[in-house]
Amino acid sequence: SGPRGLLVGESHAGMLAPALVPVAERQDLTLAAAYLPYCPWVRGLRYNLFGEDCFADQDAAYDRRIAAFDPDIVVLANRPLDDPASPAGLVDADEGPLVLPQQIERVVEARTRATVEALRGDGRQVVIVEPIPVAPDDFSPITCLSQATFEDECRFEARDAPGAQERLFRSLDDADDGVWSIDLDRLVCPDLPTCDPVVDDQVVMYDSNHLATGFAATLADGLEA
């Protein structure tokens, strides 16, 4: 009876589910998920160190699962692709491994635009959740907390200026009333660029780049707003 929403992406999409479920309930939204294990939502891109089945999983999601569920709104989320704290090596379906920065930016932009335009061409509204701040790959706030004397020993400094990927998302938002780019950075790190390991008595992350389930659930009101 109400609108139908579909959450698409890898583990960073899954970690948003505790926040999205109560929003869906309050908005009378039927919510489903199409998770892509180890795989970005940008169709035609995969990570170079894992996700060998990514392109097949993307095809299944976009050609079959989305068509079968027929959502009105598609929510897209994955890890940052261009944050120097946690670099993500990428492989393109046509060009193979992406190496040069100019090549990466060009291909990511083209693939992102094509993915969003295809969803919009089917009449669906698109919500892009910008990647959350991440700690350096060699630093886990929750591991730090298990060893530290004081919480502030486990803070980290995140990027506070939008990267090329986020600027692209915002340009898609600006150009199309049916596309939204959502920035959750200050919900995750209220004192950005400093990110605290605990916010409102909740441990924020369970590793360097994934939100803890309990903390994610506290983001529902902010996400809905």
Side-chain angles (χ1 to χ4, degrees):
S1 58
R4 299 163 70 84
L6 185 66
L7 175 61
V8 179
E10 32 96 312
S11 55
H12 280 250
M15 72 185 184
L16 289 175
L20 275 173
V21 167
V23 174
E25 291 173 346
R26 293 195 291 253
Q27 296 292 331
D28 191 27
L29 178 76
T30 300
L31 179 66
Y35 293 141
L36 301 170
Y38 307 109
C39 187
W41 61 260
V42 181
R43 192 171 186 179
L45 289 179
R46 73 168 179 87
Y47 304 120
N48 65 355
L49 297 180
F50 41 80
E52 293 182 357
D53 296 327
C54 179
F55 297 142
D57 290 341
Q58 288 175 343
D59 289 344
Y62 284 101
D63 294 336
R64 297 195 292 278
R65 295 174 71 184
I66 289 179
F69 185 66
D70 192 23
D72 303 284
I73 304 164
V74 177
V75 180
L76 305 169
N78 56 232
R79 57 164 290 147
L81 303 182
D82 63 352
D83 193 320
S86 182
L90 295 171
V91 177
D92 180 74
D94 295 328
E95 298 191 23
L98 304 179
V99 179
L100 298 176
Q102 300 92 331
Q103 179 193 30
I104 295 170
E105 189 168 337
R106 171 181 58 80
V107 172
V108 168
E109 177 171 353
R111 291 289 188 183
T112 300
R113 288 187 180 277
T115 304
V116 173
E117 287 171 2
L119 292 170
R120 291 290 294 131
D122 290 334
R124 312 189 196 284
Q125 297 180 338
V126 176
V127 176
I128 305 171
V129 181
E130 297 176 10
I132 62 168
V134 296
D137 282 343
D138 60 354
F139 177 74
S140 171
I142 196 167
T143 300
C144 178
L145 285 172
S146 71
Q147 303 166 350
T149 304
F150 302 102
E151 285 181 10
D152 59 10
E153 296 175 43
C154 302
R155 292 171 173 166
F156 66 90
E157 297 297 307
R159 181 175 63 177
D160 63 346
Q165 186 185 20
E166 291 175 327
R167 293 195 299 271
L168 171 60
F169 294 161
R170 294 175 190 185
S171 72
L172 294 170
D173 179 330
D174 291 340
D176 187 340
D177 288 341
V179 176
W180 290 264
S181 185
I182 296 181
D183 180 2
L184 301 180
D185 286 1
R186 292 207 174 266
L187 296 181
V188 175
C189 298
D191 294 322
L192 196 73
T194 299
C195 291
D196 289 304
V198 177
V199 173
D200 294 333
D201 297 323
Q202 292 280 346
V203 173
V204 176
M205 293 183 172
Y206 68 79
D207 62 11
S208 65
N209 64 94
H210 291 89
L211 297 179
T213 300
F215 178 76
T218 70
L219 302 181
D221 291 346
L223 180 61
E224 185 173 22

